[in-house]
Amino acid sequence: MNPICDEDTLRESRLRFREYFLENEHEEQTPSKISESTKDKFQRAVIGAVSFQRGEANTIRRVLEEIDTIALKRTKEGFNEVNFTIGVLNCLFISYVFGAYPQHLWLLYFVEGAYMIPRKFYNMWNAKPLNQALYYLDFCWCMNFTSMLYLALLIATELVDGLHIDDSTRETFMKSEIGVNCGTLMGANIVLPFVACLFHDLNTMTGFFIHIMPPLVTYTFMWHSAEIKETWPSLFDLSHLSDMHYFPTNGSIFVVPGTELDSIVGNAIVLYLAWWMPYVIFMLLGGLDLPKKFQADGVTPANPKFDTVFHSTMRGGPCITIGKIFRGRSKKDSLQQMEENSFD
């Protein structure tokens, strides 16, 4: 008899066989009267069923082991009741301040950002297999650094005698921030898939924070300027908000960078180019080669250490789409480029 199917298993199965009226109801069947061929067929069926059950059990066991592995990874990343609760409460607190005390939302953004952004940088610096610190050169991160630096300068003007920011600079910066925060950053919340709300994960929540908070703060400056001016009379001068306009007033098309700087669009374009030009130069001078798996000969290992937002984005799928539509490249070749971080 097959070792995986013992006599007790056969007996149990025969009982179930009779229990569900699978025998001929007009003939009294006893084990001695069942034909040998029927016994053989039945035994093979039982052996198959037992084998399937054992294989199924092994599959379930492997799935559970994989779930345990993922659970340990998530726990190591901070997935626990405390972090989850803190994340939920922080979102509720921000929502409350936004609705009840909009004049203080900028301060909450400054304080929380001063903790979350450096903490995430620490995690990115220690990321494996590639260091992700250069992600902070991305446009959205740089715009948050600019905003927080400006807020820090405003606070410094209150604390340091002789330090002053003229009205023209304040107006120019506000126009630029309105264009970027209510344009690019707000749009990123809708378009980018990695801008998500995972309450337990500091990295993801910080990414969500830098995209959602600037538009909210800008909203308070535009629609609650009276409360802000009353609460912080010497810190913010928002009198120019009533005279601002979004598009050029002369009706021209603002395709020339830097034109119509009296408009929100013109200032936002200048601010974007102030980031774009250095970033492109950096990528062309060496940034594109940093994460490559192999050197220029395609054989010698490069032992990369740093990743970039460009390479991370291309690995997310655009490489395949761009390769198919614009390069006529096969999916196999695109996948190889993604594996090697070498994009044409």
Side-chain angles (χ1 to χ4, degrees):
M1 181 175 293
N2 193 302
I4 69 171
C5 183
D6 55 22
E7 185 63 27
D8 291 337
T9 303
L10 282 175
R11 290 176 60 191
E12 179 184 358
S13 300
R14 286 169 184 158
L15 289 173
R16 293 180 180 274
F17 184 82
R18 285 195 289 270
E19 180 68 22
Y20 289 101
F21 307 103
L22 298 179
E23 295 180 355
N24 188 336
E25 61 181 14
H26 300 293
E27 179 180 358
E28 183 181 0
Q29 293 280 0
T30 63
S32 60
K33 293 182 180 180
I34 297 177
S35 64
E36 290 299 324
S37 61
T38 302
K39 288 181 179 181
D40 292 340
K41 291 179 181 179
F42 185 76
Q43 181 171 327
R44 285 196 298 271
V46 172
I47 291 173
V50 173
S51 299
F52 174 78
Q53 290 176 353
R54 293 194 176 184
E56 189 179 47
N58 290 332
T59 301
I60 293 174
R61 188 179 298 110
R62 288 196 297 271
V63 170
L64 292 176
E65 290 173 353
E66 182 66 21
I67 292 174
D68 289 339
T69 301
I70 295 175
L72 289 173
K73 182 176 182 293
R74 292 290 179 264
T75 301
K76 184 178 180 181
E77 294 173 351
F79 184 52
N80 56 58
E81 295 86 348
V82 174
N83 289 343
F84 184 85
T85 302
I86 292 175
V88 172
L89 292 177
N90 186 50
C91 287
L92 294 175
F93 179 62
I94 291 175
S95 301
Y96 174 74
V97 173
F98 176 70
Y101 302 99
Q103 67 271 28
H104 299 307
L105 188 67
W106 71 270
L107 183 59
L108 181 62
Y109 164 66
F110 183 78
V111 172
E112 290 202 4
Y115 166 74
M116 297 177 72
I117 292 176
R119 185 66 179 82
K120 178 177 170 65
F121 182 80
Y122 173 82
N123 294 338
M124 295 168 73
W125 182 266
N126 292 283
K128 303 295 181 182
L130 294 177
N131 185 307
Q132 298 174 355
L134 295 179
Y135 284 15
Y136 270 26
L137 298 180
D138 180 52
F139 177 74
C140 297
W141 287 105
C142 287
M143 293 304 100
N144 276 267
F145 298 151
T146 303
S147 297
M148 297 192 69
L149 177 60
Y150 178 69
L151 291 175
L153 288 175
L154 289 178
I155 296 174
T157 59
E158 292 292 297
L159 302 176
V160 180
D161 293 336
L163 184 61
H164 175 71
I165 301 177
D166 60 81
D167 293 341
S168 176
T169 301
R170 290 171 180 260
E171 182 178 356
T172 299
F173 182 82
M174 182 59 67
K175 290 176 179 177
S176 303
E177 287 294 287
I178 291 175
V180 170
N181 294 345
C182 298
T184 308
L185 294 182
M186 188 63 193
N189 289 285
I190 303 172
V191 177
L192 298 181
F194 55 81
V195 180
C197 193
L198 297 179
F199 298 114
H200 70 277
D201 186 66
L202 177 66
N203 291 343
T204 305
M205 289 303 292
T206 305
F208 179 67
F209 177 87
I210 66 147
H211 287 93
I212 197 63
M213 283 298 287
L216 292 178
V217 172
T218 303
Y219 176 89
T220 62
F221 281 129
M222 296 181 66
W223 299 104
H224 297 277
S225 58
E227 295 99 308
I228 294 176
K229 182 63 178 177
E230 181 181 358
T231 307
W232 309 94
S234 59
L235 195 61
F236 297 104
D237 179 11
L238 304 176
S239 59
H240 51 268
L241 286 175
S242 58
D243 299 328
M244 289 195 302
H245 45 273
Y246 293 93
F247 301 100
T249 55
N250 60 9
S252 64
I253 301 176
F254 46 86
V255 294
V256 180
T259 60
E260 294 298 336
L261 292 182
D262 62 323
S263 69
I264 290 175
V265 169
N267 282 274
I269 290 176
V270 170
L271 183 58
Y272 178 80
L273 290 176
W275 165 84
W276 183 80
M277 288 188 291
Y279 186 76
V280 170
I281 293 173
F282 160 72
M283 292 298 290
L284 292 177
L285 292 181
L288 289 172
D289 297 328
L290 287 176
K292 284 185 177 180
K293 190 174 181 180
F294 299 102
Q295 297 182 14
D297 58 11
V299 178
T300 308
N303 299 319
K305 293 183 171 127
F306 291 93
D307 197 9
T308 72
V309 169
F310 168 77
H311 294 83
S312 175
T313 302
M314 292 296 286
R315 290 195 304 268
C319 177
I320 297 175
T321 304
I322 294 173
K324 179 180 178 180
I325 297 176
F326 299 102
R327 308 285 291 178
R329 188 172 58 227
S330 67
K331 184 176 181 180
K332 179 181 179 181
D333 292 338
S334 295
L335 290 173
Q336 182 176 354
Q337 290 189 7
M338 293 164 63
E339 291 173 352
E340 298 177 357
N341 278 321
S342 179
F343 305 104
D344 57 17

